[in-house]
Amino acid sequence: MSSRRGELDGAGVARLDSEPAVELSRNPADEIKYTTCYMCACRCGIKVYLKDGKVRYIEGNRDHPVNKGVLCGKGSAGIMQHYSPARLRAPMKRVGPRGSGEFKEISWEEALDTATYWLANVRATDPKRLAFFTGRDQSQSLTGFWALQYGTPNYAAHGGFCSVNMAAGGLYTIGGAFWEFGDPDWEHTKYFMLFGVAEDHASNPIKIGIGQLKGRGAKIVAVNPVRTGYNAVADEWVGIRPGTDGLFVGALIHELFANRTIDLDYLVRYTNAPWLVIEDRGAADHGLFVRDEKGVPMLFDKKSGGLVHALTPDASPALTGARTLADGRTARPVFELMSERFLSDEYSPEAVAEQTGLKPEQMRRIARELAEVAFEQEVVLDHPWTDWTGRRHEKMIGRPISMHAMRGVSAHSNGFHTCRMIHILQVLLGAIDCPGGFRYKPPYPKQVPPWLVPHGALQTIRPLEPLGGPHLGFPLGPQHLLLDDDGQPSRIDKGFSWDAPLSAHGLMHMVINNAAKKDPYAIDVLFLYMANMAWNSSMNIPGTLEHLTAKDDKGEYVIPKIIYSDAYYSEMVPYADLILPDTTYLERWDCISLLDCPISTAEMAADCIRHPVVKPDRDVRGFQEVVIDLGARLKLPGFVNKDGSPKYPGGYPDYMVNHERKPGIGPLAGWRGEDGTKTGRGAPNPDQLNRYLENGSFFAHEIEPHMAYFRHANRDYMEWALEMGFRVETNPVIFQLYAEPLQQFRLAAQGHGERQPPDSHRARIDKYFDPLPFWYPPFEEDMVDSGTFPLHAITQRPMHMYHSWGSQNAWLRQITAQNRLYIHRDLGREHGIEDDDWAWVSSTIGRVKCQVRLMDGVNRDTIWTWNAIGKRKGSWGLSDDAPESNQGFLLNHLISELLPEGGGGYRYSNSDPVTGQAAWFDLRVNIEKADGASETEPRFEPVKQPFEMDKPDVLSFGAEFREGRK
Amino acid sequence: MTSLPQTTKKKLGLVIDLDICVGCQACVTSCKEWNTGGYSAPLSDIDPYGADPHGSWLNRVHGYEVGEGATGRTVHFPRSCLHCETPACVTVCPTGASYKRAEDGIVLVNPDMCIGCKLCSWACPYGAREYDENHGVMKKCTLCVDRIYNTHLAAEDRIPACVRACPTGARHFGDIGDPGSAVSKLVAERGGYDLMPEMGYKPVNKYLPPRDRRDSTTSTFQPAVEAPDHNGGGDRATSFFAWADKMLSR
Amino acid sequence: MHPAYSVIFFTTASGAGYGLLVWLAMASALRGFPADWALGLIGLGLALALITGGLLSSTAHLGRPERAWRAFSQWRSSWLSREGVLAVATYIPAAILGISWVFYETTQGAVVFASVLASVLAVATVYATGMIYASLPTIRAWNQPLTVPVYVTLALATGGVLFVFVLSLFTPLPTWAIVLPLAAVIAAYFTKRFYWEAVDESPRSLRPENATGLGHLGKVRHLEPPHAQANYVMREMGFKVARKHADKLRRLSAYLMFLVPSVCLLLLLVVSTYTAPLFALVAVIAMGVGVVIERWLFFAEAEHVSMLFYGAEAA
Ligand SMILES: Nc1nc2c(c(=O)[nH]1)N[C@H]1C(S)=C(S)[C@@H](COP(=O)(O)OP(=O)(O)OC[C@H]3O[C@@H](n4cnc5c(=O)[nH]c(N)nc54)[C@H](O)[C@@H]3O)O[C@H]1N2
Ligand SMILES: Nc1nc2c(c(=O)[nH]1)N[C@H]1C(S)=C(S)[C@@H](COP(=O)(O)OP(=O)(O)OC[C@H]3O[C@@H](n4cnc5c(=O)[nH]c(N)nc54)[C@H](O)[C@@H]3O)O[C@H]1N2
Ligand code: SF4
Ligand code: SF4
Ligand code: SF4
Ligand code: SF4
Ligand code: SF4
Ligand SMILES: [Mo]
């Protein structure tokens, strides 16, 4: 600070005689640029203060729909991410053995030539021999499009190991889901239940929301084995035993039925509760809906006393009563089937008490509280609206119950059904997209499930030809599986095969294992982007590293070529042969599109961009630029003009503006049309990016009040959504309490239909493709000896760390540079383990040594730790003695990517049987005190640092801004 | 100067809501980020990429477990300088580098005068002063003195960085000396309290205690009359269907 | 509290220096012995060397030693500043005394005034040093009525033993020159003992429940520290010494600062003039080591209330 008065500007000095002058109003920035944060995938709007060409400060953008000005712990540490010493400097090619970290820096020309050569060969011969998988990226609409044009069936992003259970569970039930597709109505909700969330993707919105609820005195119930973070501030902590949420929610539903506190009118209006299900055990259509000749489901209309189309506007549907069909068979409404399941003693609070570890009284009380709030504390908004039948409603009446669930529920092998159950619990209370309830974020709701089937069956793959359509989708039955002529998986990850029929996001966690075992086939190039697959995002890391380095008889790598794009020197980099170094998030163009996972909120459809707010000082390129460049070099349709010249010579910005998916629909929805007056649909606008920049790098279209709720059945909303290209028709979304597609698979397992599962898979498909949700024990719990492995082991995300990225951040790592194993005080006592002691944690596949911290707020049978803190020596620009690699540990070493051999000797992946979601949290372990240790195990060989990293012993970032003052 | 002002015109400070804080560390890093380039720049970090990374931070968040069993809870607890009214951290300072501003009560260290004797940190009961090993001077929360009057910032942004960032809204800033201010009202309403009043430092910052829970231990919820199907036997479903039917034909 | 060696050396060395200065000044003022220039040079030289060395060492503890001069400004409120001012002020009468003693071989007349002033300022300096610690309400072990007396008596005791040693090099020791320092040693020992008892008895009344204000909700336990590695506050205030270890060190320091010097001083009453310096030297060394241990413990045993936030059970 300066005490020379003459220099002071602004508000000047406030001082007493003897007080020094303080420069109260120094200009913190030469320039402020608005862009989008990418310290995590929440995508908040940020203001980047630049001073003397450096980043001085990053602050939340108050106008931004996602974060409304606030910023989280990571976002506020962006400076240190941007200036990380672990940033890659230039393209590299591997010169030592895989895993050694020996690289040579090469030119972009050489890198792109090499990649083009490898990829062109594969494409010209056998395109499926390219597996292109992307991790935490936000440009799946581009990478997916590229893979489609390339013609490989092997493309997906990370959703399969992340939370596809949540996404698919919701999309197959209500056409939307908690997972990035919806939010609680923070403004009106009065009772909020949070299942299995430590942080979520909606990092800041949830925090803002929780603050709001707390301020309003809404009740928050947190269902979680661990009481930290959000769960710590809840009014009620339900310290459930992992993997048993389905029982708990089942018991709540049981109670709602038993107490007769469900919203029957809502069920009749918006769900398939009245739809009739054929009851003809053994028949090929048993358990399917009664349909007319056009295939429209039918219900019994009490008014006319006969069967009518399910979408008959003025019908008076019956929810109960068996009906005799014209052919003499009987059919019963979904409602009856569902009530029978949940009214059964199996789901009574008493029956589930032991398994869940919860008291029956607590479950009873919560069920009653839900009913009371839903039915006696309605929220009424004076917004007239029109439903899909054309009926006008003067008010919007809402049941102010909302729920949110994430990986604590979805990362179990019974997650799909549990997710469905939670959505159904909300439906039964009438709390979907109503004031106070769960709200969709545009472009949701979709049809249930979305009308999009997967593409990439091997029979359709031809050299040099694009795929017939997008890779990922939502099968309605076995006919949509991607199988070869022998019924074997078409995809390297076995997605959309009998192993995981509804794997709507693929199974990225299985790619390396399958490729190394050439099961179902060998590949030639593994192309990965932004996923630390050699470390924290793989199960069984020792096994994964073996797979990545496995060699055949001739001494060649079984996975011959690995191309990887990372921005930092992560654990994955040493395992690739060709490195395409990305920029940091402050240095590139990015597009967070409505075609992808947009930043919409319940109130507005929105998308946003990133742009280079600082120039890279290294020889790095934005990956999207590289993808477009490679597309042009490979002459992929969609990336070249007819004459073979690049279609987007201006690179990614050019693509963002000029690419059209359908006429008038492109990556960005704002300011379309030649003059920028169109929203959603319109011709490309050459000035579009400038308009984004002027608006703080985002676009938001506010949804009018009459379209703000009941959007699954709101005529005006449907019409608007159609116009925007979000929907393909304006029929209402009917919630599927009963999921017929699952029954289709079950029928196949029972021997019906042309496509039959292999016998080894029949029983499994039959059991798990129940059209009504149900609970079953997670696989690992069922298959390993609970006596030997009596404990559950789970992880939580630290709010201030993003997976493995955070550890290179000089500020964030000071907060957490080592992770402890948290165990219940009583458990510690039993094992003679005290605070700070070291312990061994063992699973069926290995053991890990770690340091313990005792606590009270954890389920007695559960141990846990922070996710992704443990680091491999040599990575992330850290010194070899960094606590991250000597005291930090991962549970991933203990999680098997394959289940133990079941019947028939086949080893399924450790995933949900319906969706293929990785079952990270099924892990069963035991613990034992370790003597006198102070270092974690296992520790792997350090990787070499391939280039000089600028790692100061002392960092005094900001001193230069102070000097500048003098 | 290290004599304390008799009174200060304002008592600017923070009010921290322990009922809402989720321990996200946003206030911690946003504080670091602003202040490492601000009034007391830099806030140095020692061994930032090595075995013992540590540095100067003006705000830190602890996690505590409080109580046991059913009534136990986890409380996140942000801690920074409380801008005490009668703090010994100022009066012990031999150089006058530490002082309390008469204008607004903010306790500051003048980084150009501090000799780094560390005595003030010994005198602070709250562990709120952090010595910068590299810069050789004492650092502490400045209440973002270079933000709150900064005319280069929009008026609504003239608040401390930590308050600006806090995603849950657990942090409030204002004049605690003015009983009419929003923060004072909040303190009155929620029973805001001083940390360790027994030390006699009269902290300006206030903490709002966690609210009573509404779980099984304190719930006032009265169940409705026992529902008919609760103890129903085999025909539970039948009677339920009859009810549903009746309800729908209303 | 972290026992910083520069501070330990500073307080012990300057304490001994000021103590020696007091003994020399008072003894010469009261004509305890002839004003031999060599005695003056060595005695006062040693005293001033210890004082100066201590003061210099204390600046090693500063982050910005080049700004040390600023520390004189806040004498109105800061004991540290007062200590600095007094320390410097002491040099003036001490220098007058030294000059007249060494160069003019006189310690009488107006010089007596300087001697008395030097003694008063020396004691005041040590008093101020003690007050730096005693005035901190944050550290129970220091915030004690006996903290300052311990500093003063220990300064006089260490200075006294030094005085005996220096004197023994020049003259046969008069009885008073043994008995009075012995009395100082005994007084220091008992002050310190009472101090230890008082500290051990004074209640550790503050707990994490007080620190966080969450006591009404139950027992408070630290679950998640704010940072992975120790920060400055923990390094500085969180230093801890095991009780058992501390007890052993207390005993050792008591032997060294009390038993050994007392025995040596008593023996001085009977041994020959030639062997006297040897016994005195043993006393000096034992006392020195004893006080260093005592001072180390003074820091190491002191608990700072801020540690309550970091998991300390009481303070
Ligand atoms: N035990 C356990 N394991 C888990 C989980 C768990 O809960 N428990 N969670 C799982 C889940 S849900 C997920 S999503 C995965 C996440 O795991 P990953 O997706 O592997 O996440 P990161 O570790 O962040 O790795 C992403 C990689 O992207 C790189 N990167 C960062 N920024 C950029 C950039 O701008 N450009 C490029 N090209 N690269 C960049 C990083 O350096 C890093 O190498 O982990 C899974 N693993
Ligand atoms: N700061 C930060 N934010 C992130 C990420 C990050 O790494 N850091 N990662 C992003 C990614 S990729 C994802 S997928 C999301 C995930 O966000 P979250 O879903 O919040 O992910 P986790 O941290 O894995 O939290 C899982 C929670 O479920 C609990 N849990 C485990 N098993 C069970 C169970 O059986 N039942 C119940 N009820 N709870 C259970 C755990 O205790 C934990 O609190 O976060 C995203 N946001
Ligand atoms: S939640 Fe935090 S890290 Fe994620 S985008 Fe928002 S500010 Fe950035
Ligand atoms: S909290 Fe500590 S540093 Fe801040 S004014 Fe009070 S005593 Fe001083
Ligand atoms: S460290 Fe600096 S601010 Fe603190 S007392 Fe010493 S001179 Fe004053
Ligand atoms: S007021 Fe400013 S300096 Fe103080 S804790 Fe908050 S951000 Fe840090
Ligand atoms: S930013 Fe807010 S919620 Fe997060 S730790 Fe700080 S005070 Fe708590
Ligand atoms: Mo994820």
Side-chain angles (χ1 to χ4, degrees), chain C residues 3 73 108 127 129 144 148 155 181 183 193-194 204 270 273 307:
Chain C
S73 66
Q108 293 305 306
Y127 178 89
T129 306
Q144 297 286 340
V148 175
R193 231 184 103 165
F194 294 144
R204 295 161 92 216
V270 294
T273 314
M307 283 303 107

PDB file of all heavy atoms in Angstrom, chain C residues 3 73 108 127 129 144 148 155 181 183 193-194 204 270 273 307:
ATOM      1  N   PRO C   3       9.002 -22.752  20.915  1.00  0.00           N
ATOM      2  CA  PRO C   3      10.174 -22.170  21.580  1.00  0.00           C
ATOM      3  C   PRO C   3      11.203 -21.747  20.530  1.00  0.00           C
ATOM      4  O   PRO C   3      11.963 -22.577  20.056  1.00  0.00           O
ATOM      5  CB  PRO C   3      10.724 -23.323  22.429  1.00  0.00           C
ATOM      6  CG  PRO C   3       9.993 -24.558  21.987  1.00  0.00           C
ATOM      7  CD  PRO C   3       9.051 -24.211  20.900  1.00  0.00           C
ATOM      8  N   SER C  73       8.556   3.013  18.763  1.00  0.00           N
ATOM      9  CA  SER C  73       7.577   4.105  18.687  1.00  0.00           C
ATOM     10  C   SER C  73       6.361   3.934  19.598  1.00  0.00           C
ATOM     11  O   SER C  73       5.733   4.894  19.968  1.00  0.00           O
ATOM     12  CB  SER C  73       7.119   4.271  17.239  1.00  0.00           C
ATOM     13  OG  SER C  73       6.404   3.114  16.840  1.00  0.00           O
ATOM     14  N   GLN C 108      32.770   6.497  41.465  1.00  0.00           N
ATOM     15  CA  GLN C 108      32.147   7.266  42.537  1.00  0.00           C
ATOM     16  C   GLN C 108      31.672   8.634  42.062  1.00  0.00           C
ATOM     17  O   GLN C 108      31.737   8.930  40.876  1.00  0.00           O
ATOM     18  CB  GLN C 108      33.161   7.418  43.674  1.00  0.00           C
ATOM     19  CG  GLN C 108      33.479   6.085  44.337  1.00  0.00           C
ATOM     20  CD  GLN C 108      32.249   5.354  44.841  1.00  0.00           C
ATOM     21  OE1 GLN C 108      31.469   5.934  45.601  1.00  0.00           O
ATOM     22  NE2 GLN C 108      32.027   4.120  44.410  1.00  0.00           N
ATOM     23  N   TYR C 127      11.922  -6.258  33.538  1.00  0.00           N
ATOM     24  CA  TYR C 127      10.520  -6.191  33.934  1.00  0.00           C
ATOM     25  C   TYR C 127       9.634  -6.092  32.677  1.00  0.00           C
ATOM     26  O   TYR C 127       8.650  -6.808  32.530  1.00  0.00           O
ATOM     27  CB  TYR C 127      10.308  -4.975  34.835  1.00  0.00           C
ATOM     28  CG  TYR C 127       8.876  -4.777  35.280  1.00  0.00           C
ATOM     29  CD1 TYR C 127       8.411  -5.391  36.449  1.00  0.00           C
ATOM     30  CD2 TYR C 127       7.992  -3.985  34.540  1.00  0.00           C
ATOM     31  CE1 TYR C 127       7.096  -5.223  36.855  1.00  0.00           C
ATOM     32  CE2 TYR C 127       6.682  -3.817  34.942  1.00  0.00           C
ATOM     33  CZ  TYR C 127       6.234  -4.430  36.099  1.00  0.00           C
ATOM     34  OH  TYR C 127       4.936  -4.259  36.490  1.00  0.00           O
ATOM     35  N   THR C 129      10.388  -7.027  29.682  1.00  0.00           N
ATOM     36  CA  THR C 129      10.410  -8.308  28.979  1.00  0.00           C
ATOM     37  C   THR C 129       9.373  -9.243  29.596  1.00  0.00           C
ATOM     38  O   THR C 129       8.572  -9.864  28.896  1.00  0.00           O
ATOM     39  CB  THR C 129      11.802  -8.965  29.085  1.00  0.00           C
ATOM     40  OG1 THR C 129      12.777  -8.031  28.632  1.00  0.00           O
ATOM     41  CG2 THR C 129      11.864 -10.235  28.256  1.00  0.00           C
ATOM     42  N   GLN C 144       0.371 -14.650  34.471  1.00  0.00           N
ATOM     43  CA  GLN C 144       0.425 -15.028  35.882  1.00  0.00           C
ATOM     44  C   GLN C 144       1.147 -13.936  36.668  1.00  0.00           C
ATOM     45  O   GLN C 144       2.084 -13.326  36.161  1.00  0.00           O
ATOM     46  CB  GLN C 144       1.225 -16.337  36.040  1.00  0.00           C
ATOM     47  CG  GLN C 144       0.623 -17.547  35.372  1.00  0.00           C
ATOM     48  CD  GLN C 144      -0.579 -18.080  36.111  1.00  0.00           C
ATOM     49  OE1 GLN C 144      -0.753 -17.787  37.303  1.00  0.00           O
ATOM     50  NE2 GLN C 144      -1.431 -18.825  35.428  1.00  0.00           N
ATOM     51  N   VAL C 148       6.514 -12.012  35.876  1.00  0.00           N
ATOM     52  CA  VAL C 148       7.499 -10.925  35.885  1.00  0.00           C
ATOM     53  C   VAL C 148       8.540 -11.147  36.992  1.00  0.00           C
ATOM     54  O   VAL C 148       9.748 -11.076  36.723  1.00  0.00           O
ATOM     55  CB  VAL C 148       6.792  -9.556  35.994  1.00  0.00           C
ATOM     56  CG1 VAL C 148       7.826  -8.455  36.136  1.00  0.00           C
ATOM     57  CG2 VAL C 148       5.915  -9.335  34.767  1.00  0.00           C
ATOM     58  N   ALA C 155      17.021 -13.055  36.212  1.00  0.00           N
ATOM     59  CA  ALA C 155      18.051 -12.179  35.655  1.00  0.00           C
ATOM     60  C   ALA C 155      19.079 -11.858  36.739  1.00  0.00           C
ATOM     61  O   ALA C 155      20.289 -11.911  36.509  1.00  0.00           O
ATOM     62  CB  ALA C 155      17.412 -10.908  35.112  1.00  0.00           C
ATOM     63  N   PRO C 181      24.522 -13.203  45.919  1.00  0.00           N
ATOM     64  CA  PRO C 181      24.100 -13.946  44.730  1.00  0.00           C
ATOM     65  C   PRO C 181      23.419 -15.268  45.086  1.00  0.00           C
ATOM     66  O   PRO C 181      22.445 -15.662  44.438  1.00  0.00           O
ATOM     67  CB  PRO C 181      25.412 -14.196  43.994  1.00  0.00           C
ATOM     68  CG  PRO C 181      26.291 -13.063  44.403  1.00  0.00           C
ATOM     69  CD  PRO C 181      25.929 -12.797  45.841  1.00  0.00           C
ATOM     70  N   ALA C 183      21.638 -15.782  47.621  1.00  0.00           N
ATOM     71  CA  ALA C 183      20.265 -15.420  47.997  1.00  0.00           C
ATOM     72  C   ALA C 183      19.426 -15.201  46.739  1.00  0.00           C
ATOM     73  O   ALA C 183      18.260 -15.616  46.666  1.00  0.00           O
ATOM     74  CB  ALA C 183      20.272 -14.159  48.852  1.00  0.00           C
ATOM     75  N   ARG C 193       9.532 -21.882  41.368  1.00  0.00           N
ATOM     76  CA  ARG C 193       8.756 -23.019  41.871  1.00  0.00           C
ATOM     77  C   ARG C 193       7.316 -22.623  42.139  1.00  0.00           C
ATOM     78  O   ARG C 193       6.379 -23.323  41.756  1.00  0.00           O
ATOM     79  CB  ARG C 193       9.393 -23.523  43.152  1.00  0.00           C
ATOM     80  CG  ARG C 193       9.617 -25.017  43.092  1.00  0.00           C
ATOM     81  CD  ARG C 193      10.139 -25.511  44.385  1.00  0.00           C
ATOM     82  NE  ARG C 193       9.051 -26.158  45.110  1.00  0.00           N
ATOM     83  CZ  ARG C 193       9.257 -26.950  46.155  1.00  0.00           C
ATOM     84  NH1 ARG C 193      10.469 -27.156  46.599  1.00  0.00           N
ATOM     85  NH2 ARG C 193       8.240 -27.509  46.741  1.00  0.00           N
ATOM     86  N   PHE C 194       7.175 -21.497  42.798  1.00  0.00           N
ATOM     87  CA  PHE C 194       5.807 -21.034  43.067  1.00  0.00           C
ATOM     88  C   PHE C 194       5.079 -20.761  41.760  1.00  0.00           C
ATOM     89  O   PHE C 194       3.891 -21.026  41.616  1.00  0.00           O
ATOM     90  CB  PHE C 194       5.817 -19.780  43.960  1.00  0.00           C
ATOM     91  CG  PHE C 194       6.338 -20.057  45.342  1.00  0.00           C
ATOM     92  CD1 PHE C 194       7.103 -19.123  46.035  1.00  0.00           C
ATOM     93  CD2 PHE C 194       6.064 -21.288  45.971  1.00  0.00           C
ATOM     94  CE1 PHE C 194       7.586 -19.385  47.316  1.00  0.00           C
ATOM     95  CE2 PHE C 194       6.552 -21.555  47.248  1.00  0.00           C
ATOM     96  CZ  PHE C 194       7.311 -20.606  47.918  1.00  0.00           C
ATOM     97  N   ARG C 204      -7.495 -24.684  33.706  1.00  0.00           N
ATOM     98  CA  ARG C 204      -7.581 -24.515  32.250  1.00  0.00           C
ATOM     99  C   ARG C 204      -9.070 -24.348  31.962  1.00  0.00           C
ATOM    100  O   ARG C 204      -9.772 -25.301  31.678  1.00  0.00           O
ATOM    101  CB  ARG C 204      -7.032 -25.737  31.541  1.00  0.00           C
ATOM    102  CG  ARG C 204      -5.549 -25.958  31.784  1.00  0.00           C
ATOM    103  CD  ARG C 204      -5.159 -27.376  31.465  1.00  0.00           C
ATOM    104  NE  ARG C 204      -4.708 -27.531  30.084  1.00  0.00           N
ATOM    105  CZ  ARG C 204      -4.950 -28.603  29.341  1.00  0.00           C
ATOM    106  NH1 ARG C 204      -5.658 -29.581  29.835  1.00  0.00           N
ATOM    107  NH2 ARG C 204      -4.486 -28.692  28.114  1.00  0.00           N
ATOM    108  N   VAL C 270      34.484 -21.845  51.112  1.00  0.00           N
ATOM    109  CA  VAL C 270      35.574 -22.559  51.749  1.00  0.00           C
ATOM    110  C   VAL C 270      36.782 -22.794  50.847  1.00  0.00           C
ATOM    111  O   VAL C 270      37.894 -22.949  51.321  1.00  0.00           O
ATOM    112  CB  VAL C 270      35.093 -23.929  52.309  1.00  0.00           C
ATOM    113  CG1 VAL C 270      34.099 -23.702  53.441  1.00  0.00           C
ATOM    114  CG2 VAL C 270      34.491 -24.785  51.219  1.00  0.00           C
ATOM    115  N   THR C 273      41.276 -19.293  46.768  1.00  0.00           N
ATOM    116  CA  THR C 273      41.088 -18.253  45.776  1.00  0.00           C
ATOM    117  C   THR C 273      41.419 -18.755  44.384  1.00  0.00           C
ATOM    118  O   THR C 273      40.820 -18.333  43.406  1.00  0.00           O
ATOM    119  CB  THR C 273      42.002 -17.058  46.090  1.00  0.00           C
ATOM    120  OG1 THR C 273      41.885 -16.786  47.463  1.00  0.00           O
ATOM    121  CG2 THR C 273      41.603 -15.841  45.270  1.00  0.00           C
ATOM    122  N   MET C 307      -5.513 -22.494  20.105  1.00  0.00           N
ATOM    123  CA  MET C 307      -5.435 -23.906  19.735  1.00  0.00           C
ATOM    124  C   MET C 307      -6.725 -24.650  20.033  1.00  0.00           C
ATOM    125  O   MET C 307      -6.940 -25.769  19.571  1.00  0.00           O
ATOM    126  CB  MET C 307      -4.266 -24.579  20.455  1.00  0.00           C
ATOM    127  CG  MET C 307      -2.931 -24.259  19.840  1.00  0.00           C
ATOM    128  SD  MET C 307      -2.862 -24.708  18.089  1.00  0.00           S
ATOM    129  CE  MET C 307      -2.922 -23.084  17.361  1.00  0.00           C
TER     130      MET C 307
END
